[in-house]
Amino acid sequence: MAVTARFGFWAAVAACFFALAYGVPQVLQVAGWLTFPVDEILIFAPSLALAPSFVLANVGLYESTATGRRVFALAALALALHYAVLVSIVYVVQLGVVIPARLAGGNPVSALFGCCGSGMPLTAVDLLGYTLMSVSTLFAAGAIVGNRPLRWALVANGLLAPFLILQLAWPGLIWIGALWLVTFPLAMGLLAAHLRRTGG
């Protein structure tokens, strides 16, 4: 396997892994089987690692895409970068500032900069980030030729974008947006297989 294909393959594997590593504790938290601070640490840490992994997977996709379709891969990469910057700020603040502050009894900073609750500023930033990620996968689908399962997985994830950002107005849409827990890891797993197969 060529260096480019190997690079993209492992980046997509990492993105798939970290998405699953986020998804499992998220489900366990909703089920009430994980509580603070373990739940938030296990959710935010893999989410922080997912951001650069997704960017690098898009680098691999761009490098492996034929010239005529590179504009779609480049658009996907640009949006992936935008997503990664936004959510990385959110998660490093949670892990490095908010969670320690809450463990120490809480303060105005932890109250203002908490995440994943309705009406919280960083929740809006997080939702914008994941909306951009979904649009990124929609563009990535345009770079794929001859692999319908991968293309449709990317499109399915991309179509979740409105259900992510509109949670700011209608929080109940989270139950549709939660399909990301399936569509995104599936898309990254299929992307890894695609890059391995087409990389020689």
Side-chain angles (χ1 to χ4, degrees):
M1 187 165 46
V3 172
T4 297
R6 189 180 301 115
F7 178 95
F9 167 76
W10 284 113
V13 166
C16 180
F17 172 80
F18 288 122
L20 293 171
Y22 151 79
V24 171
Q26 179 69 81
V27 170
L28 294 177
Q29 181 198 54
V30 171
W33 295 344
L34 286 178
T35 57
F36 181 83
V38 174
D39 59 343
E40 294 193 5
I41 293 170
L42 292 180
I43 287 170
F44 294 135
S47 296
L48 183 59
L50 172 58
S53 301
F54 182 60
V55 171
L56 296 178
N58 275 279
V59 170
L61 174 62
Y62 175 78
E63 283 297 315
S64 67
T65 300
T67 303
R69 291 190 170 264
R70 274 195 155 190
V71 66
F72 296 107
L74 185 58
L77 176 57
L79 290 167
L81 283 166
H82 196 166
Y83 141 80
V85 170
L86 290 174
V87 301
S88 295
I89 292 169
V90 172
Y91 301 138
V92 77
V93 168
Q94 302 312 302
L95 292 166
V97 178
V98 174
I99 292 173
R102 288 178 62 192
L103 288 171
N107 58 39
V109 172
S110 64
L112 178 62
F113 290 102
C115 180
C116 303
S118 182
M120 304 183 87
L122 290 187
T123 299
V125 176
D126 193 44
L127 287 173
L128 175 59
Y130 276 89
T131 301
L132 291 167
M133 172 200 259
S134 289
V135 178
S136 171
T137 62
L138 201 57
F139 277 104
I144 303 299
V145 177
N147 188 332
R148 294 176 76 179
L150 171 57
R151 189 169 182 141
W152 282 112
L154 291 166
V155 168
N157 192 77
L159 293 177
L160 293 177
F163 301 102
L164 296 169
I165 195 63
L166 290 176
Q167 287 177 44
L168 293 173
W170 298 289
L173 291 176
I174 191 172
W175 298 108
I176 299 175
L179 291 171
W180 180 96
L181 294 169
V182 176
T183 59
F184 183 81
L186 176 62
M188 292 300 100
L190 290 172
L191 177 60
H194 173 78
L195 292 172
R196 184 168 194 169
R197 183 170 60 252
T198 58

